[in-house]
Amino acid sequence: MKLYHYMDEVFGLKNLSNRRIKASTFDNLNDPFELLGIETSTPNIRLSLNKMKLDVSRKFGILCFSKIWSNPVQWAHYANNHKGICVELDLSNKEDTREVKYYSERLKSNLIYDRNFPLKLLLSKFKHWEYEQEYRTIRELNNFEKEDGLYFQPFNENMKLSKVIIGCQSKLTRSQVESSLSAQEQGVEIIYSRPAFKSFEIVKYQNK
C-alpha cells in the first residue's frame, strides 16, 4: 500500500538523511477534538475522556499518512506552503495502518460501552478533515526511536521510501534531495510538482 507523508524542507531533508519520519503524540496534533469525538455534555464523561486522552498521549504515538499527494491544502498545512516535500512510502503491513473515518456530528456518548470504543475514537475525525484521506499507524512510544524529546519511525522492510515529491514553491533541487538520501535509498524517484492547468490539484511537473 502506497501512502504519503508531508514535511517541510529543513526537517524533510534531515529525515531523509536519517531514514525516518516523525511520529506525533495525541496531545500535539492539530485537531483539538482528537480522542474527544463523542458528545461530552455530561461532566463525568468529559472528565473520563480527558483523562483517557492524557493517558494515551503518554503511552502511544501516531504516524499520519494520506492516500493522496495531490491536495493543495495539505501541501500548505504540512509542507510549509508548498516549499517542502512529500514522500511516498510503501507500507507492506496493511493490518498495522488503518483508515480514518469522518463524521458530520460527534458520536453518541453511549459509544463508551462498546468494546471497540477506544479504537473507534482513535480513527474518528470531523467530516471537514475528509480532504486529508488520512491513514494512521498507532504504536506504543517505546516502539519508536527517541531523539531530543521527539519520536521517529525509521524506514525498514515494512515502510520503504519509494518516491520524493518536491513542492511547487520549493527552492530545493533534485540534486539536494539526492544528496540527502542514504545509500539504501539511492535511485528512489524524485519529481517536481506544479499546480494543474484544469483543476485544483497538484500534479507532476513533466518537463522538469
Side-chain angles (χ1 to χ4, degrees):
M1 175 168 57
K2 293 188 184 300
L3 295 174
Y4 299 90
H5 183 83
Y6 298 83
M7 298 178 278
D8 71 22
E9 59 274 36
V10 176
F11 289 106
L13 292 183
K14 184 176 180 180
N15 286 339
L16 288 179
S17 179
N18 290 318
R19 305 188 66 243
R20 67 190 187 184
I21 61 171
K22 181 178 173 294
S24 298
T25 55
F26 280 90
D27 55 345
N28 284 322
L29 296 176
N30 59 3
D31 180 5
F33 290 97
E34 291 286 355
L35 289 175
L36 303 174
I38 67 171
E39 186 272 320
T40 59
S41 57
T42 303
N44 287 342
I45 292 178
R46 190 161 58 246
L47 183 65
S48 296
L49 278 182
N50 284 323
K51 181 180 183 304
M52 184 187 76
K53 182 171 182 175
L54 181 60
D55 291 341
V56 169
S57 299
R58 287 171 174 168
K59 187 174 182 180
F60 292 93
I62 177 174
L63 300 172
C64 300
F65 309 99
S66 176
K67 190 177 180 179
I68 59 171
W69 65 270
S70 59
N71 190 297
V73 180
Q74 288 178 279
W75 279 98
H77 287 173
Y78 303 120
N80 191 22
N81 295 328
H82 298 257
K83 299 184 185 78
I85 63 173
C86 179
V87 293
E88 179 185 83
L89 300 164
D90 194 352
L91 285 82
S92 60
N93 190 352
K94 295 181 180 180
E95 292 75 23
D96 194 37
T97 304
R98 299 173 182 268
E99 185 177 4
V100 171
K101 304 297 182 184
Y102 301 93
Y103 299 90
S104 57
E105 296 182 359
R106 292 175 80 164
L107 303 171
K108 301 297 183 183
S109 58
N110 61 6
L111 179 66
I112 62 174
Y113 302 110
D114 188 318
R115 65 177 182 174
N116 295 319
F117 161 64
L119 182 60
K120 187 152 188 175
L121 274 189
L122 289 166
L123 299 173
S124 298
K125 295 191 73 172
F126 180 39
K127 192 172 180 63
H128 284 201
W129 293 96
E130 194 169 20
Y131 69 90
E132 292 188 342
Q133 299 187 42
E134 185 179 352
Y135 283 72
R136 294 178 161 184
T137 296
I138 300 163
R139 298 184 183 136
E140 290 190 16
L141 287 172
N142 58 18
N143 288 321
F144 296 108
E145 292 184 354
K146 189 175 182 180
E147 180 182 308
D148 298 329
L150 301 175
Y151 296 91
F152 298 92
Q153 172 61 51
F155 300 153
N156 55 36
E157 287 301 308
N158 294 319
M159 190 179 77
K160 297 179 180 179
L161 179 69
S162 53
K163 184 183 297 182
V164 180
I165 304 150
I166 300 172
C168 65
Q169 298 188 134
S170 177
K171 294 182 179 179
L172 293 173
T173 65
R174 185 178 276 106
S175 61
Q176 282 179 291
V177 175
E178 286 176 343
S179 65
S180 297
L181 294 174
S182 67
Q184 295 95 318
E185 277 77 46
Q186 289 299 317
V188 162
E189 183 181 11
I190 301 169
I191 66 171
Y192 291 89
S193 64
R194 65 165 176 81
F197 298 141
K198 295 183 178 180
S199 67
F200 289 108
E201 289 184 308
I202 301 299
V203 297
K204 180 179 179 179
Y205 201 140
Q206 298 286 356
N207 299 321
K208 191 172 181 181

